[in-house]
Amino acid sequence: MSLFHPITVKCPKCEADVTVKAVGSVNADRRPDFREAILDDRFQDTTCGACEHSFRLQPEFNYLDAGNGQWIAAMPAPDMPRYLEIEDVVRDLFAQSYGPKAPKAARDVGDTLSVRLTFGWPAVREKLLCAAHDLDDVVLEMMKLDLLRKLPSSPIGPGIELRLVAVVDDTLALCWMQSAREEVLEQFTCPRGWYDTISSNPDAWAAVHAQLSDGAFVDIQKLYMGAGRAVAE
């Protein structure tokens, strides 16, 4: 089931106390409307009763969509630098919920799920887009790396990410985004054939694929941190 709990937060505009129902877990098989709300960028939106300013809670919940083979631990964007530590927590949580420490019925479900860790709304939305359009998220991240090598310029910087935002026919729309604020900086498109070329050439990308898929955090952001730096450069 999907679970919510009341919390009190400060309005980012007037600093009044606002009580909201924060999501703790989403079961998209039972509540597909929650999946659609995430894709529509309106899930966990709230409005301050004092100044009527609209804002959105940072994600901090578990997402299950057995129909699409997804289990996602969605975390706040500012927590990304701690991804290795959080990956350990996510691995243990999944093991207890759907892995080797879970009852057999849950393990049977878990055998069909990919386990992912995301930071910020654009990242979790991107994973749902991948499932909706039959895209392998690891291949998508490799395509982003290829784009970074070929684009004439890119606004890479702290908190700025390259995200898939739409798929229309055979065209992929991507944007540079300040993730925590969900602010779009630049947007462009590329043919899906770019993705298909990388997908059909696994040997050339085997080393990068292994690094990206090592752990629940499948994202080129981790290649800019620690051991992945050489690959990203």
Side-chain angles (χ1 to χ4, degrees):
M1 67 175 64
S2 300
L3 300 174
F4 293 78
H5 57 279
I7 63 170
T8 299
V9 298
K10 294 288 185 182
C11 170
K13 184 176 182 180
C14 73
E15 297 190 347
D17 287 341
V18 183
T19 300
V20 297
K21 289 184 178 180
V23 66
S25 65
V26 167
N27 185 323
D29 299 293
R30 297 183 179 180
R31 293 297 305 267
D33 56 315
F34 289 163
R35 179 198 306 119
E36 295 306 312
I38 295 171
L39 288 169
D40 290 343
D41 284 328
R42 54 185 172 82
F43 191 61
Q44 292 282 265
D45 280 353
T46 190
T47 300
C48 173
C51 71
E52 298 187 350
H53 174 67
S54 294
F55 62 97
R56 195 179 194 189
L57 297 179
Q58 279 286 317
E60 192 165 1
F61 64 98
N62 300 323
Y63 175 92
L64 171 66
D65 185 347
N68 282 309
Q70 290 185 300
W71 187 91
I72 302 170
M75 304 300 291
D79 287 354
M80 186 186 294
R82 299 171 46 237
Y83 83 89
L84 286 171
E85 171 191 341
I86 296 172
E87 271 189 332
D88 290 341
V89 176
V90 167
R91 181 174 56 250
D92 290 343
L93 177 60
F94 185 82
Q96 294 175 18
S97 302
Y98 295 100
K101 298 179 182 179
K104 184 179 184 307
R107 293 199 306 272
D108 290 343
V109 174
D111 288 342
T112 69
L113 301 175
S114 63
V115 181
R116 295 293 185 261
L117 169 63
T118 62
F119 297 93
W121 286 112
V124 66
R125 181 180 183 274
E126 182 179 71
K127 298 301 184 188
L128 272 58
L129 275 176
C130 285
H133 295 280
D134 196 25
L135 295 170
D136 183 316
D137 64 334
V138 182
V139 176
L140 176 66
E141 296 302 308
M142 294 190 296
M143 188 195 80
K144 292 179 188 177
L145 281 175
D146 201 34
L147 283 169
L148 288 177
R149 297 185 181 112
K150 295 175 179 177
L151 289 172
S153 63
S154 57
I156 296 177
I160 298 175
E161 304 169 1
L162 181 59
R163 292 294 171 201
L164 178 72
V165 293
V167 181
V168 181
D169 298 326
D170 291 328
T171 300
L172 306 180
L174 298 102
C175 72
W176 289 101
M177 178 177 291
Q178 209 295 331
S179 183
R181 298 195 302 268
E182 301 180 62
E183 176 186 352
V184 175
L185 305 176
E186 296 179 17
Q187 187 164 334
F188 62 94
T189 61
C190 69
R192 180 163 176 158
W194 205 322
Y195 166 95
D196 293 335
T197 297
I198 293 173
S199 180
S200 64
N201 193 16
D203 290 344
W205 288 88
V208 180
H209 189 287
Q211 191 166 7
L212 283 167
S213 57
D214 181 19
F217 184 42
V218 176
D219 197 300
I220 61 171
Q221 301 296 314
K222 73 181 182 181
L223 300 186
Y224 308 144
M225 298 179 279
R229 188 178 302 276
V231 176
E233 296 174 350

